[in-house]
Amino acid sequence: AVDRHILWDSLGMDLETHDQLCAVLPQAFGDVFLSQENRPEGMAFWDMVVADVHGIRPQELVDEQAKGRKVFGTFCTYVPDEVVIAGDGIVTGLCGGSQFWVPEGEKYLPADMCPLIKASLGARLGRTCPFFRIVDQIVGETTCDGKKKMYEIMAEDVPMYIMNLPHMKRPQDIAAFADEIALFKANVEEVTGNEITAEKLAESIKIINERRKALARVFETRKNKDVIPISGTDALLMMQIAFFDDPVRCAQMANNLAAELEQRLVDGVSVFPKGTKRILLTGTPLAIPNWKLHHIIETAGAAIVCEENCTGTKFFTNLVDESQTTLEGMYQALAERYMKINCACFTPNKARIDEVLQLVKDYNVDGVINTNLKFCTTFKTEAPALEKVLEEAGIPVLDIETDYTDNDAGQLRTRVEAFVEML
Ligand code: BJ8
């Protein structure tokens, strides 16, 4: 393996603390991923990326910056990658998914705040994540209150641009978001120094649509009710890295994997024994390296066949209309696609419940696990309504609230095992 210390040092990272993270990650990855049997060969790409997760892609980003390109960091699936790509910028996701960063975040934020927010701020201010050091600008958004307030603190340390996301989905809200996308285009032009023409935006809309189609193609194979060609744990890793990778390469790798999985369906190659109960996981996102629930569920005798969250279907469902030829038409087309994401920060958000019900059918699901990151009040508040509808439809639901620590792992395992047992 390449020694990345020179890179990390050049990024002004806290090497000593960061080494502690590097010391535990390979073990965690080995326990969760390499212990699985009969994994698709296509996963080798993601294994390679994650084995050097703070080296291989960060080095690429630094090399691109040396050529004059700019890197934009984001925290939310509502921020349109297309605009950044159209300005020849690079997008990288930033959401923190490890307890490692939480204590640093708690120095600046209330302890009773969602761990994703605390970990994200901790990773930046603790100087223990290369992606947070590399970004030329961070793009926040007005989703939940916790993120909004965290961005104010982060803005003292790094250039920050905030997109105003409406919280309702009336036509005037979609039009307002289209205006917001136009403003973001001007910001990207300013940061990159590149003009965004209608041709460039049209091209980047196609690029991101291709990524959506490729990821959806992998998910499509998970609908088969007899053969489960890939574990949920592996599918999650592909999704998590999609936030960091070059979109063209991401689509290519996902298409390669999908082709292999489609062949597995033909050959009857399943990674779980026949009759394994099929779970749909819904709720808050699972930022890398948050593999906790997937690992527990899939070693408790069940298989996750779909994730209805931002590190799952929300990331790729619905394409942007490619028939627009003017910038204004494209802003509206982008706004219409992005505003179809059903995040709990919207009111009302009944469409999410309808979507979960539809996915339960499409993926031949036996039970739903609704997971909530501790202190995420919007998703938590939606849980009873979601569970009521599922129960009325005869779908068993397990409600789980957890954080990034391992303190509750034993208790969660007992509850998941009992749930799977009764399916
Ligand atoms: S579109 S889910 S990525 S906002 S878990 S930080 S909501 S307190 S992450 Fe999200 Fe965009 Fe919505 Fe998706 Fe706040 Fe909740 Fe934490 Fe969350």
Side-chain angles (χ1 to χ4, degrees), residues 93-344:
L94 289 177
C95 293
S98 169
Q99 177 63 24
F100 182 82
W101 294 303
V102 169
E104 183 68 24
E106 284 181 346
K107 290 185 189 166
Y108 309 91
L109 294 166
D112 52 355
M113 192 177 246
C114 143
L116 189 152
I117 301 175
K118 290 188 288 193
S120 299
L121 187 67
R124 168 72 207 183
L125 297 184
R127 297 182 289 115
T128 45
C129 172
F131 293 99
F132 271 97
R133 304 302 306 166
I134 288 169
V135 286
D136 293 288
Q137 177 183 273
I138 291 180
V139 186
E141 75 308 314
T142 55
T143 47
C144 69
D145 288 349
K147 277 209 273 186
K148 280 186 284 196
K149 300 315 283 183
M150 180 272 275
Y151 294 149
E152 293 174 13
I153 301 171
M154 203 176 266
E156 289 171 25
D157 195 53
V158 57
M160 188 99 203
Y161 179 88
I162 307 285
M163 291 189 80
N164 188 16
L165 181 73
H167 287 174
M168 292 178 77
K169 295 184 179 179
R170 302 162 303 179
Q172 62 266 43
D173 298 312
I174 294 168
F177 195 53
D179 290 346
E180 197 60 30
I181 292 172
L183 290 176
F184 183 44
K185 174 240 182 205
N187 166 262
V188 171
E189 288 181 323
E190 194 187 307
V191 173
T192 61
N194 298 325
E195 192 198 341
I196 296 178
T197 60
E199 289 70 30
K200 280 192 175 170
L201 190 54
E203 203 181 304
S204 69
I205 286 174
K206 284 207 179 76
I207 290 173
I208 302 301
N209 273 346
E210 290 309 311
R211 180 175 71 186
R212 292 189 181 108
K213 287 184 214 164
L215 296 169
R217 190 178 155 200
V218 170
F219 269 56
E220 193 62 34
T221 67
R222 305 170 74 194
K223 293 179 179 172
N224 190 293
K225 69 177 186 327
D226 302 314
V227 175
I228 302 174
I230 183 170
S231 68
T233 308
D234 277 339
L236 174 65
L237 183 64
M238 172 191 76
M239 290 304 307
Q240 289 173 330
I241 290 175
F243 285 82
F244 294 86
D245 202 3
D246 171 72
V248 174
R249 180 172 51 203
C250 171
Q252 191 193 330
M253 292 301 158
N255 274 319
N256 290 349
L257 177 64
E260 183 185 355
L261 302 183
E262 286 158 4
Q263 189 58 45
R264 282 188 160 198
L265 296 185
V266 174
D267 299 340
V269 179
S270 187
V271 288
F272 291 98
K274 223 177 162 41
T276 301
K277 296 299 179 195
R278 305 168 63 90
I279 302 291
L280 178 140
L281 196 71
T282 180
T284 44
L286 301 159
I288 197 167
N290 182 7
W291 307 309
K292 177 176 164 180
L293 262 184
H294 273 64
H295 183 57
I296 291 174
I297 293 166
E298 296 202 320
T299 52
I304 298 177
V305 293
C306 180
E307 296 81 11
E308 190 280 326
N309 58 26
C310 282
T311 40
T313 55
K314 282 183 166 111
F315 186 68
F316 59 72
T317 304
N318 300 311
L319 300 177
V320 178
D321 170 23
E322 293 182 11
S323 70
Q324 300 299 320
T325 52
T326 63
L327 283 171
E328 278 65 35
M330 291 179 217
Y331 301 149
Q332 181 67 22
L334 286 163
E336 280 170 12
R337 185 272 161 192
Y338 280 93
M339 294 283 276
K340 281 188 195 138
I341 300 172
N342 300 315
C343 179

